[in-house]
């Protein structure tokens, strides 16, 4: 049935809708939209029936038995319990950036920490200045913290206008904010701290760290110890949500090692040959061990957090009775004005000012990995306050003052979006080169490709002096490489200023003919027909045996006898081995893996994703940082 027929059209529309839905679900834009819906529902509910709204969240639930139990209302279980999982995800993301992302540059870690501190001190000072001499001054903590969920959601909305590396900047500032905010909660907004319980929490956290250091991967042990930390912090009088952030930051991230993947393949083959329960368990364990625990845990919990826990938190905390008089009172209240001015304006001053001071004092040694335009836009986005600010507001205020604080916190979402929209709009009107410099800066970016492109060694197509170079590590028998080939052909056909490089990475444990096919391409290269053979092999992936390769050699007009001799002598094996070694140095273990101007491309490799990545690389090249030499 073709797409022109009614049934085919319906199926195509269904497939397209499903793809769009999956894209929506797996982006910060989607989670932020759900969060906004939860806020709207909470506001509508509280204004229709405030009594039922308060009654639902005041319901008590008890966990435990006899004298050993916890009895909290639903509001507390959500704020202190479920939100620990949200902070766990934040900790995982921060650790991944630290191990594999932008934060590998430890200078950037230090600068982000300085910016995070500045982004909290200045807003608090603005709040204190507005509330000086009044009882409400003790609520200064409400103006300090950035909401990670909303900040990343706003960033996703402006994603096409701002560099991808700004995400690491926003994430690192948010983590510093969250850590310091939780310290502020413990020191300034908690009751008397019970030291013995605090020592138990610290001991359990150290035990988790010890398990990680000795390589124990059993999640049950860490889960049990994390529960001990949470309960101990609660009993100590400290908000226990810090548990999630601390535990998440301890979970290491790394690309899948080649040895682990090959071991997983061997275990699966054994199970395929003899499908017994014992071999099934060992195969599952091998597959699990090949993936970073950081990535596994995030994939497991992120949908629940983004589309369940955080919206539930918003539903439980954003319900405010709104009317003309209350809004008028709020926006003439120093509490509301202090929060809005502190977050929306104080964040920009605090982040930009602290980073500029750090660069000046360090003599330029500490400078942002993005341009000052991106820093300014990011600091405006950081003005979105919600989760932690609501936590602090509920501890610092009550009654009418709490309502005014909540109105101020909700207003920061609108203010942060408006100010960041203004900054990004101003950047768009700049000339191309100045805009690229403002967005990307002048710092040398990190390079993921360990071995630079060498025209004398690498197989390249496209102009040598191209401003964008795509390096693919591929396997001629890999079906995903076959799917990527027409995409790359379309990209190269539409952009003649891109250089493409193929490097061999035959996955011999799963593709028995891949090594011979790679050597066949090298034998064709000795007769100046590499790309003819390359293109043909990727369209004939189901037929890559010796006789097949000889037939292809004849088809593209090679000296077949010479080709056969070079295959028998494995003349191309050295070139293939050198490519494999370079893949190992760059942490590549699967195919296809792409590097664009030296930066590893993560995510999809459809035409839209690769075109966007090429566009970003060209923008960086515009300011003189192409990453990879000619």
């Amino acid at each position: 049935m073709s797409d022109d027929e009614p049934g085919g059209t319906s199926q195509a529309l269904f497939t397209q809708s499903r793809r769009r839905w999956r894209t929506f679900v797996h982006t910060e834009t989607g989670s932020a939209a759900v969060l906004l819906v939860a806020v709207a529902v909470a506001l509508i509910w509280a204004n229709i029936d405030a009594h039922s709204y308060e009654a639902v969240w005041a319901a008590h639930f008890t966990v435990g038995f006899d004298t050993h139990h916890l009895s909290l209302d639903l509001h507390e279980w959500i704020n202190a319990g479920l939100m620990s999982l949200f902070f766990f995800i934040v900790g995982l993301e921060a650790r991944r950036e630290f191990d594999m992302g932008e934060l590998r540059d430890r200078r950037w870690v230090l600068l982000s920490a300085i910016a995070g501190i500045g982004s909290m001190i200045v807003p608090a000072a603005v709040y204190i200045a507005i509330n000086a001499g009044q009882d409400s001054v003790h609520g200064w903590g409400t103006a300090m913290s950035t909401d990670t969920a909303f900040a990343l959601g706003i960033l996703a909305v402006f994603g096409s206008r701002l560099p991808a590396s700004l995400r690491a900047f926003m994430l690192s500032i948010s983590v510093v904010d969250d850590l310091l905010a939780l310290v502020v909660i413990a020191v300034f907004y908690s009751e008397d701290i019970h030291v013995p319980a605090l020592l138990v929490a610290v001991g359990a956290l150290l035990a988790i760290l010890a398990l990680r250091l000795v390589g124990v991967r059993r999640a049950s042990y860490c889960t049990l110890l994390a529960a001990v930390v949470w309960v101990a912090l609660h009993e100590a009088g400290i908000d226990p949500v810090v548990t999630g952030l601390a535990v998440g930051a301890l979970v290491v991230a790394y690309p899948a090692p080649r040895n682990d993947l090959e071991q997983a393949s061997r275990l699966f083959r054994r199970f395929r040959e003899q499908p017994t329960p014992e071999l099934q368990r060992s195969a599952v364990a091998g597959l699990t061990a090949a993936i970073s625990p950081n990535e596994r845990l995030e994939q497991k919990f992120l949908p629940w957090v983004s589309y369940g826990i955080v919206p539930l938190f918003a539903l439980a905390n954003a319900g405010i009775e709104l009317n003309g008089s209350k809004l008028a009172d709020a926006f003439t209240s120093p509490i509301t004005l202090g929060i809005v001015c502190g977050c929306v304006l104080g964040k920009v001053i605090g982040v930009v000012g602290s980073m500029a001071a750090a660069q000046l004092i360090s003599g330029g040694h500490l400078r942002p990995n993005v341009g000052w335009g991106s820093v300014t836009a990011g600091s405006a986005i950081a003005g979105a306050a919600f989760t932690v600010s609501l936590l602090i507001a509920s501890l610092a205020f009550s009654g009418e003052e709490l309502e005014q604080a909540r109105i101020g916190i909700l207003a920061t979402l609108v203010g942060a979006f408006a100010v960041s929209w203004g900054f990004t709009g101003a950047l768009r009107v700049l000339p191309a080169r100045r805009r690229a410099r403002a967005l990307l800066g002048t710092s040398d970016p990190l390079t993921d490709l360990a071995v630079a492109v060498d025209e004398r060694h690498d197989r390249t197509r496209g102009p040598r002096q191209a401003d964008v170079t795509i390096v693919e590590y591929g396997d001629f028998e890999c079906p995903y490489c076959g799917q990527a080939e027409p995409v790359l052909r379309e990209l190269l056909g539409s952009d003649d200023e891109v250089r493409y490089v193929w490097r061999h990475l035959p996955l011999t444990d799963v593709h028995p003919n891949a090594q011979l096919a790679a050597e066949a391409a090298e034998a064709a290269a000795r007769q100046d027909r590499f790309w003819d053979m390359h293109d043909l092999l990727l369209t004939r992936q189901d037929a890559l045996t010796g006789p097949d390769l000889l037939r292809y050699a004849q088809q593209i007009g090679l000296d077949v006898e010479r080709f056969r001799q070079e295959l028998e002598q494995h003349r191309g094996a050295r070139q293939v081995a050198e490519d494999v070694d370079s893949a190992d140095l760059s942490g590549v273990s699967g195919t296809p893996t792409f590097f664009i101007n030296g930066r590893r491309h993560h995510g999809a490799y459809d035409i839209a994703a690769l075109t966007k990545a090429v566009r970003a690389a060209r923008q960086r090249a515009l300011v003189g940082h192409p990453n990879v030499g000619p």
Side-chain angles (χ1 to χ4, degrees), residues 459-492:
R459 306 306 178 191
T460 66
R461 67 191 337 171
R464 180 174 182 176
Q465 300 297 332
D467 53 4
V468 177
T469 296
I470 300 176
V471 175
E472 177 185 0
Y473 282 94
D475 174 321
F476 287 116
E477 202 173 358
C478 168
Y480 300 106
C481 295
Q483 293 171 16
E485 171 60 18
V487 174
L488 288 165
R489 196 171 301 166
E490 179 182 351
L491 176 63
L492 296 174

Side-chain angles (χ1 to χ4, degrees), residues 522-600:
E522 288 305 314
R526 287 185 169 81
Q527 298 185 43
D528 297 325
R529 303 299 294 274
F530 174 85
W531 291 108
D532 294 320
M533 181 64 78
H534 166 277
D535 296 345
L536 190 57
L537 293 176
L538 285 173
T539 60
R540 303 285 194 276
Q541 291 185 304
D542 56 344
L544 297 177
T545 63
D548 295 321
L549 298 175
L550 291 174
R551 188 170 67 255
Y552 301 151
Q554 183 177 19
Q555 182 177 335
I556 62 175
L558 297 183
D559 181 335
V560 178
E561 182 58 26
R562 177 185 170 188
F563 177 84
R564 182 185 63 78
Q565 291 179 358
E566 292 191 351
L567 274 187
E568 291 176 349
Q569 297 170 4
H570 299 286
R571 290 280 303 277
R574 179 176 179 179
Q575 170 86 20
V576 175
E578 290 175 353
D579 284 354
V580 172
D581 288 343
S582 73
D584 289 338
L585 292 173
S586 298
V588 178
S589 53
T591 57
T593 296
F594 296 97
F595 293 82
I596 301 178
N597 276 6
R599 298 301 303 272
R600 186 165 181 163

Side-chain angles (χ1 to χ4, degrees), residues 8 76 90 98 220 279 284 327 338 347 384 412 449 476 545 562 614:
E76 290 177 296
V90 173
F98 186 83
S220 56
L279 291 178
V284 170
L327 288 175
K347 288 286 184 181
T412 66
L449 189 66
F476 287 116
T545 63
R562 177 185 170 188
V614 166

